[in-house]
Amino acid sequence: MSEEKSLNFIEEIIEKDIAEGIHEGRVHTRFPPEPNGYLHIGHSKAICLNFGLAKKYQGKCNLRFDDTNPEKEEVEYVDSIKEDIQWLGFRWDNEFYASDYFDKIYGFAVALIQKGLAYVDESSSEDMAKQKGTPTLAGTDSPYRNRSIEENLDLFTRMKNGEFADGTCVLRAKIDMKHDNMIMRDPVIYRIKHAEHHRTGNTWCIYPMYDFAHGQSDSIEEITHSICTLEFIPHRDLYNWCIQKLEIFPSRQYEFARLNMTYTLMSKRKLLMLVQQQFVEGWDDPRMPTISGFRRRGYTPESIREFCDKIGIAKRDNMIDISLLDFCLRDHLNKIALRRMAVLHPVKLIITNYEEGKTETLSAENNPEDENAGHRALTFGKELWIEREDFMENPSKKYFRLGPGLQVRLKHAYIIECTDFKKDADGTITEIHCKYFPESKSGNDQSGLKVKGTMHWLHCDTALQAEVRLYDRLFTVENPAAHDGDLQEILHPKSLEVISKAYIEPALAAAKQQDRFQFLRLGYFCVDKNSSSEKLIFNKTTGLKDSFAKVV
RNA sequence: UGCCUGAUGGUGUAAAGGUAGCACAGCAGUUUUUGGUACUGUUAGUCUUGGUUCGAAUCCAGGUCGGGUAACCA
């Protein structure tokens, strides 16, 4: 009866490795972000993969910051990355930094020089580019390629000691300038950067390149399965070359296809641009595809994990429909979000046959999906707010809401019938008059009336006010990454709409930051981080599935 | 143009030589005091050409198309 879920290709490799007793069947992964930006939804895929694999196979997963470029990295990013991973629900076994290993990595470089496998090159970067050749044209050796070991050792030591300015020389691995794989044409493995590092300060003025730090860090931590994205496939040759020449722990690299999602930008560089040019409020702007943005928007970690599980792991390029993320979100929120009523675009409704000044307390369930969620009290009276969209002067037959002579149910209250309405000079509806049917009271309906529509409402005298922020997609095109021109050209002009005076029900007064609700018939909303008891602010997380919208 | 990769409905992802399945999206319907939820039904797919085989999405050969790759970034 237990349905076996099929394995993805990495799980297959791992299970094979375990079966063969490689590394005593141990599984140790790592998540290796560079702290040069905030984590986005694409990183969630890698996080769920790496931490998920460790969990599934009773292994370990390290968090390791790939901090080898001091010019781009900052502690703010380190902190945000840690917060985001934890929020997603994962705990790392070790918190490491590539910069922890600078001494060891330096030692690896010296070892390579001593084996005659690395040399200091004073060619300019232009010359080095020429030496590289092209995909079809073999490269040529640098004039500095055959320096003696002693000279290389001396030069490299002086590089470390700060005797040279940035860019004067680099350390290169001595591999093969005619290699089919361009990466293997004597790659740079150390460069000079007189820059302060966020952790090592001014201790170093030379820093290893990715290819001479990442794999080495994997080895030092005895990572068994080093999982990265497809664009690192050509680097695997070098990864393995270093392990072999240095005779260090043989971690293995495996590559999977990164996440692409419709209407979403995944480039950290471009996201940084949105922040710097203030097209959004910051990295955690609810429109951003960052983990912190989704958090502020009201997404749940459960829904993001479920999404990552559903999209699968494979090697072919993909473009996931963002509606799948939406589905996972709604699916979870539907189960956990308390129901409340709010009126975003209010118009007054007067119940003409309801006694002036009278009120009634009604009971409303907090969540029909959850018996244990309990009930709350609602006040009903003569004057109510309803949604402007819920009234039409000349409704079509498919319109199940209010219009002259039409009947609807007010949720948790009575059935009403529209008897009259008022307009101002511009034709804007200013007031709707209805009569109610006292015997149609919710839960005890004796009226025998049948209506097609049910509407949300708020009692004028007791409703509270709040700011509500409505979000739409940030980009107008399905694949913003493919857009060549200015980002501004494809930015959705109405990605944010602020409703400064929306009405909400009194039960929402005590709502705290990050609390999530379903505003009946409107969608899911969560309390913004800048919300206060004086001024409540709600972010729209996502709408409800709306099958009526398509009819219109 | 070299090297590396990949190709299954609109989008993802399974099927390890034996009935092409699942999810999202779409469409239609049932239920409903949320035009929500739930439930039911349904449309739609193996890049191509050959070969091996009783039998091919799967194995082999050629082709086509897509992606990556020529940073002192990661």
Side-chain angles (χ1 to χ4, degrees):
Chain A
M1 76 162 270
S2 68
E3 197 167 302
E4 194 85 357
K5 202 192 167 202
S6 57
L7 304 177
N8 64 51
F9 78 98
I10 294 176
E11 291 169 328
E12 283 175 2
I13 289 167
I14 289 178
E15 297 205 356
K16 186 165 172 285
D17 287 349
I18 291 173
E20 290 174 4
I22 295 175
H23 304 310
E24 300 81 44
R26 191 170 56 84
V27 174
H28 201 155
T29 58
R30 100 272 90 113
F31 175 65
E34 184 190 11
N36 67 344
Y38 279 58
L39 260 23
H40 55 61
I41 185 77
H43 292 110
S44 307
K45 181 178 181 181
I47 291 168
C48 290
L49 214 212
N50 279 295
F51 285 93
L53 250 17
K55 188 173 184 187
K56 177 168 183 177
Y57 296 104
Q58 292 95 48
K60 288 181 176 174
C61 182
N62 294 347
L63 168 60
R64 184 178 68 236
F65 290 95
D66 239 332
D67 55 350
T68 57
N69 187 354
E71 286 163 349
K72 291 185 179 170
E73 297 153 6
E74 293 175 25
V75 263
E76 179 197 346
Y77 297 133
V78 171
D79 294 340
S80 73
I81 288 167
K82 287 161 69 173
E83 185 186 356
D84 289 347
I85 295 171
Q86 293 184 89
W87 178 78
L88 270 181
F90 297 105
R91 302 290 175 266
W92 46 87
D93 290 279
N94 300 290
E95 177 182 333
F96 290 142
Y97 296 77
S99 54
D100 292 340
Y101 312 135
F102 281 169
D103 276 312
K104 285 180 183 168
I105 295 171
Y106 178 80
F108 289 146
V110 171
L112 238 34
I113 294 171
Q114 284 168 337
K115 290 183 179 201
L117 293 172
Y119 61 97
V120 173
D121 195 333
E122 284 143 87
S123 305
S124 66
S125 51
E126 295 76 31
D127 286 343
M128 274 182 46
K130 278 180 206 145
Q131 292 161 22
K132 276 261 171 185
T134 69
T136 46
L137 223 192
T140 52
D141 289 359
S142 161
Y144 304 98
R145 195 170 199 265
N146 293 312
R147 286 211 235 246
S148 69
I149 289 173
E150 292 68 31
E151 192 183 1
N152 279 317
L153 243 22
D154 174 60
L155 252 16
F156 189 51
T157 305
R158 291 165 60 192
M159 275 172 67
K160 185 190 74 162
N161 291 344
E163 291 185 32
F164 306 118
D166 288 10
T168 44
C169 53
V170 295
L171 184 70
R172 288 227 253 174
K174 192 171 177 177
I175 305 178
D176 179 3
M177 289 307 289
K178 297 181 184 65
H179 205 287
D180 282 335
N181 182 351
M182 301 277 294
I183 299 278
M184 297 294 273
R185 324 247 257 227
D186 289 11
V188 172
I189 57 177
Y190 255 98
R191 79 288 214 191
I192 301 171
K193 272 183 198 289
H194 289 270
E196 183 168 326
H197 187 279
H198 68 102
R199 300 196 87 232
T200 60
N202 293 307
T203 309
W204 296 88
C205 63
I206 56 170
Y207 293 92
M209 298 285 291
Y210 165 85
D211 286 304
F212 204 64
H214 193 95
Q216 287 60 27
S217 303
D218 284 343
S219 275
I220 290 167
E221 294 172 19
E222 302 203 335
I223 298 302
T224 56
H225 301 264
S226 177
I227 301 164
C228 61
T229 45
L230 257 26
E231 65 269 28
F232 290 98
I233 290 177
H235 295 253
R236 192 174 60 226
D237 278 347
L238 183 51
Y239 187 98
N240 291 335
W241 183 89
C242 290
I243 285 172
Q244 192 202 76
K245 300 302 181 192
L246 258 14
E247 299 174 74
I248 53 181
F249 182 87
S251 301
R252 294 291 300 266
Q253 175 182 304
Y254 301 97
E255 311 88 6
F256 71 99
R258 69 174 339 126
L259 168 68
N260 296 298
M261 194 160 71
T262 56
Y263 299 101
T264 309
L265 209 49
M266 297 290 185
S267 152
K268 265 202 260 183
R269 190 177 58 80
K270 290 181 183 170
L271 293 179
L272 175 63
M273 232 155 73
L274 292 176
V275 173
Q276 286 176 338
Q277 299 184 17
Q278 298 183 340
F279 291 135
V280 294
E281 265 185 53
W283 284 98
D284 73 342
D285 186 294
R287 291 165 293 182
M288 288 284 272
T290 50
I291 295 177
S292 53
F294 282 123
R295 176 166 62 235
R296 187 170 169 194
R297 175 91 170 243
Y299 281 60
T300 62
E302 290 89 339
S303 61
I304 293 176
R305 277 189 260 129
E306 178 66 15
F307 170 73
C308 289
D309 189 55
K310 279 194 192 303
I311 58 178
I313 300 293
K315 297 189 81 148
R316 63 188 95 100
D317 291 312
N318 59 80
M319 178 64 79
I320 308 282
D321 193 327
I322 196 167
S323 65
L324 180 60
L325 213 209
D326 259 326
F327 168 80
C328 296
L329 214 212
R330 291 196 186 106
D331 193 46
H332 186 224
L333 253 16
N334 177 50
K335 292 179 186 119
I336 63 159
L338 299 183
R339 312 293 134 118
R340 293 291 182 264
M341 291 200 280
V343 176
L344 268 26
H345 301 106
V347 61
K348 188 166 281 188
L349 181 147
I350 296 171
I351 301 180
T352 49
N353 62 339
Y354 198 83
E355 195 182 319
E356 188 90 40
K358 177 186 169 184
T359 60
E360 278 178 85
T361 300
L362 307 169
S363 174
E365 58 193 350
N366 280 326
N367 186 350
E369 307 295 316
D370 180 4
E371 287 283 323
N372 303 318
H375 294 254
R376 69 192 187 281
L378 239 35
T379 306
F380 186 81
K382 188 181 180 74
E383 295 198 356
L384 309 174
W385 294 120
I386 65 165
E387 212 69 63
R388 194 164 278 284
E389 214 187 29
D390 286 339
F391 179 87
M392 269 182 90
E393 192 178 342
N394 301 299
S396 71
K397 281 188 220 47
K398 290 242 184 173
Y399 191 77
F400 302 155
R401 308 176 191 180
L402 220 44
L406 294 181
Q407 295 180 351
V408 296
R409 153 89 51 194
L410 291 175
K411 181 75 179 175
H412 298 129
Y414 298 94
I415 291 175
I416 56 169
E417 181 179 316
C418 176
T419 52
D420 197 10
F421 63 93
K422 288 184 179 170
K423 283 199 285 191
D424 65 13
D426 307 327
T428 309
I429 307 292
T430 53
E431 213 171 270
I432 298 162
H433 291 186
C434 289
K435 64 178 181 189
Y436 85 118
F437 300 91
E439 66 281 10
S440 67
K441 187 168 180 173
S442 192
N444 184 30
D445 188 346
Q446 313 279 323
S447 71
L449 262 22
K450 287 274 176 262
V451 292
K452 277 187 174 153
T454 299
M455 294 173 18
H456 61 279
W457 54 274
L458 248 22
H459 175 51
C460 291
D461 293 341
T462 56
L464 267 26
Q465 283 200 346
E467 178 173 307
V468 175
R469 298 173 182 172
L470 307 179
Y471 301 99
D472 210 327
R473 48 179 57 128
L474 234 198
F475 297 102
T476 53
V477 297
E478 194 168 278
N479 186 4
H483 179 76
D484 293 324
D486 201 317
L487 270 188
Q488 205 167 353
E489 296 165 11
I490 53 169
L491 237 30
H492 187 150
K494 292 195 184 104
S495 59
L496 168 64
E497 181 194 346
V498 178
I499 298 174
S500 49
K501 282 184 187 167
Y503 289 108
I504 59 171
E505 67 176 84
L508 251 9
K512 298 184 302 294
Q513 288 181 14
Q514 283 281 292
D515 280 355
R516 303 180 182 94
F517 301 95
Q518 184 196 105
F519 289 173
L520 241 50
R521 302 208 304 139
L522 296 176
Y524 296 97
F525 293 78
C526 96
V527 181
D528 187 72
K529 68 170 186 181
N530 293 328
S531 183
S532 66
S533 50
E534 290 78 44
K535 187 192 180 189
L536 284 162
I537 304 172
F538 291 89
N539 292 321
K540 182 173 183 177
T541 310
T542 188
L544 259 23
K545 197 171 164 194
D546 187 357
S547 44
F548 177 65
K550 290 170 202 155
V551 176
V552 189

